[in-house]
Amino acid sequence: MDKIIVEGGHPLNGQVTISGAKNAVLPVLAATLLTQGKCKVQAVPRVRDVTTMVRLVQELGAGVDCFEGDSVVLDTTGINNPIAPYDLVSTMRASCLVLGPLLARLGEAKVSLPGGCAIGARPIDLHIKGLEALGANIRLEEGYVHGIAKKLKGVRHTFDLVTVTGTMNVMMAAALAEGETVLNNAAREPEVSFLADILNHSGAKIKGAGTEKIVIQGVTSLAPIECRILPDRIEAATYMIAGAIANGDVEVLNCVPGHMEPIIDKLRQTGVTVDTRENSVRVKGNGLLSPVDITTEPYPGFATDVQAQFMTLMTLAGGQSRITETVFENRFMHVAELKRMGADISIEGHTATVRGVKQLSGAPVMATDLRASACLVLAGLVAERDTVVSRVYHIDRGYQDMEKKLSQLGAAIRRVK
Ligand code: EPZ
């Protein structure tokens, strides 16, 4: 298993270019199942979750004409298999995104239930409820979600909780349902809006994506998908925080500042200088960091996927900050590892209280999920001596070339087998 070794104490300076958003590519690849023909997706990040999703649509019958550099060309004419197998789904929860498209395309879907994961149980009950509302008949059998749908019919449906992939799943199925679907309490993430735009380019009739109410007029077919994936706002936020924590001067290129407003606001409150341009953000550390409280919320609130990275920053602030996680029930797994590096953090329920310390010290640490791994690498950038991060396969799921990008900024970081 690979490990990443970071030698602390090197300030970061320079420019880093953001890759396409993993959490936009995955639903778009699932959406190709709704179409019959050659789909071309560009600006795709080379990360493991994308490879997994390409393998999954291939398993379902898609031909992969090309998967090189940052583009994927799929031929979805021959989609004929409704079964998403355990060995693929168990490695990536987002595989459940093929449920809605398979029901719409084949009238059947048999998708292994995703296992839980480090950050919580993460059931897909809300996906199932939404698809049942559209007329699918869904049973749970032998660890699989098995759905049958002769014809999906438009419906008015309210999600009990805001769910990003739940909204995407039901929206994709509704795109080919008969009649009008209204989704209330829908997720408002930029990746939801992006998916709706891409589907509309292929002939779908979706209005209101990006708000809590999405209205979909079903159509009979969709043209093949062609698109360039939008920049990854979570990757961008991660490198902005890297610039802040390493007291450097980092310009993050190919990003959308408008997708990261709460993070930019909170970074400014810590005393860090943040200048935004149309497609870039420049972050300059100014010495002492002020403590700032954050509460994670669905978009447009502070993103839960940036909570761990921001906590690392607060471990070095000049005072006490409170970090409240409201989206997932167990997303403080990185706290124990940060404490092993000398951070002073205590947890009461969903709130972590961070008391700033002068310095972190390097240690062997273990990642538990994608964003926790990133936060440990960030800590390593400024800790004394070396930090050895193991289980870096978590990082490889969602960050393209992290060591390379950080090395180019001046970090002393390397991967060892
Ligand atoms: C998406 O996950 C992202 N993944 C996550 O990013 C992100 O953390 C999350 O949205 C929240 O922003 C992808 O887009 C592939 P949810 P998703 O459904 O859709 C509960 C990363 O690091 N819930 O919005 O799975 C759930 O347990 C990943 O890139 C149900 O109870 O998240 C959670 O507490 C991590 N039942 C809350 O809702 C359901 O049927 C929000 O989950 C669905 C969700």
Side-chain angles (χ1 to χ4, degrees), residues 344-356:
D344 178 352
I345 309 170
S346 57
I347 298 176
E348 299 87 34
H350 289 274
T351 297
T353 301
V354 185
R355 291 169 200 80

Side-chain angles (χ1 to χ4, degrees), residues 124-182:
I124 56 169
D125 56 315
L126 302 178
H127 299 233
I128 292 169
K129 262 177 152 177
L131 295 169
E132 284 177 331
L134 285 171
N137 177 340
I138 296 180
R139 292 191 317 282
L140 302 188
E141 52 193 37
E142 296 144 29
Y144 276 77
V145 175
H146 188 190
I148 305 279
K150 288 276 162 298
K151 181 74 199 149
L152 293 172
K153 286 176 74 59
V155 70
R156 299 182 70 84
H157 178 70
T158 300
F159 287 100
D160 302 343
L161 263 178
V162 172
T163 160
V164 176
T165 49
T167 299
M168 294 169 164
N169 231 336
V170 181
M171 183 171 78
M172 288 189 281
L176 290 182
E178 204 171 84
E180 179 178 85
T181 296
V182 177

